Amino acid sequence: MSFMSNECGGTLSISQKFRQSAQELKSVRTLTGVSMLLAMSIVISFVGSVRLTETLKIGLGYLITALLGMLYGPFTAAIAAGAGDIIKYLLKPDGAYFLTAMLGGMVYGCFLYREKCTIFRAIASKSLISLLLNCCLNTFWISLLYGMPFLGALGPRVIKNVVALPFEIILLYIVLNGMSKVVDRARLH
């Protein structure tokens, strides 16, 4: 049985995904997996990212957040992403966006938990996060933290997110489909 299927064989509603995801937190196996992915996320955010300006960064940490959402659901991914953002801030204080991180984990969980990562799901989840959360919500936080005018900060962020979006979607689709095969194979043994 694939990790993407549920007992009834159908798609879960959003509320069912949240309920099952919250139940996942009771498992030691889940806590271990989340902890390992969280550690990977922290390392990747420092090693696998390039800072373009004080407020613009290109990174690969979103892949771990998406993996958390796919494997453990929206509730668990939101908690883990928020905790990871706080830990990253404590290690390198350059802006804590933990609410945005939590919402990103939640979005990935809603689109990917117990679902096959189709190209539509990759496009929809990453587009929503890049355009709504990264462009709008993070720009709001930046305008508050750095005293920049919202519209002045928005332009470069929109350009960066729109240019990076196709590459991030392709990478997301490839990585999540590859990982789902690995996870399915591991659960068979």
Side-chain angles (χ1 to χ4, degrees), residues 68-121:
L68 282 163
M70 181 179 81
L71 295 175
Y72 303 111
F75 184 82
T76 302
I79 299 292
D85 197 64
I86 291 169
I87 293 168
K88 291 173 207 170
Y89 179 77
L90 293 172
L91 294 173
K92 185 177 179 190
D94 66 352
Y97 308 108
F98 78 96
L99 180 60
T100 307
M102 290 180 77
L103 291 171
M106 196 179 305
V107 168
Y108 283 127
C110 287
F111 277 95
L112 301 170
Y113 184 54
R114 307 226 176 196
E115 306 284 353
K116 179 166 176 39
C117 181
T118 63
I119 194 67
F120 170 78
R121 289 182 185 283

Side-chain angles (χ1 to χ4, degrees), residues 31-104:
L31 293 175
T32 304
V34 168
S35 299
M36 291 176 64
L37 287 172
L38 196 53
M40 285 177 58
S41 172
I42 292 166
V43 170
I44 286 174
S45 74
F46 292 123
V47 178
S49 65
V50 176
R51 184 159 295 284
L52 303 175
T53 68
E54 186 178 343
T55 59
L56 277 179
K57 179 173 88 171
I58 296 176
L60 300 173
Y62 73 95
L63 293 169
I64 302 297
T65 305
L67 193 55
L68 282 163
M70 181 179 81
L71 295 175
Y72 303 111
F75 184 82
T76 302
I79 299 292
D85 197 64
I86 291 169
I87 293 168
K88 291 173 207 170
Y89 179 77
L90 293 172
L91 294 173
K92 185 177 179 190
D94 66 352
Y97 308 108
F98 78 96
L99 180 60
T100 307
M102 290 180 77
L103 291 171

Side-chain angles (χ1 to χ4, degrees), residues 5 29 78 90 102 106 135 165:
S5 61
R29 184 180 201 154
L90 293 172
M102 290 180 77
M106 196 179 305
C135 287
L165 187 60

Side-chain angles (χ1 to χ4, degrees), residues 19-39:
R19 231 181 343 270
Q20 286 188 14
S21 178
Q23 291 296 317
E24 295 254 13
L25 283 174
K26 295 178 180 178
S27 162
V28 172
R29 184 180 201 154
T30 295
L31 293 175
T32 304
V34 168
S35 299
M36 291 176 64
L37 287 172
L38 196 53

Side-chain angles (χ1 to χ4, degrees), residues 6-7 10-17 20 113-115:
N6 60 49
E7 300 81 39
T11 300
L12 297 171
S13 70
I14 299 292
S15 64
Q16 290 172 316
K17 287 182 180 189
Q20 286 188 14
Y113 184 54
R114 307 226 176 196
E115 306 284 353

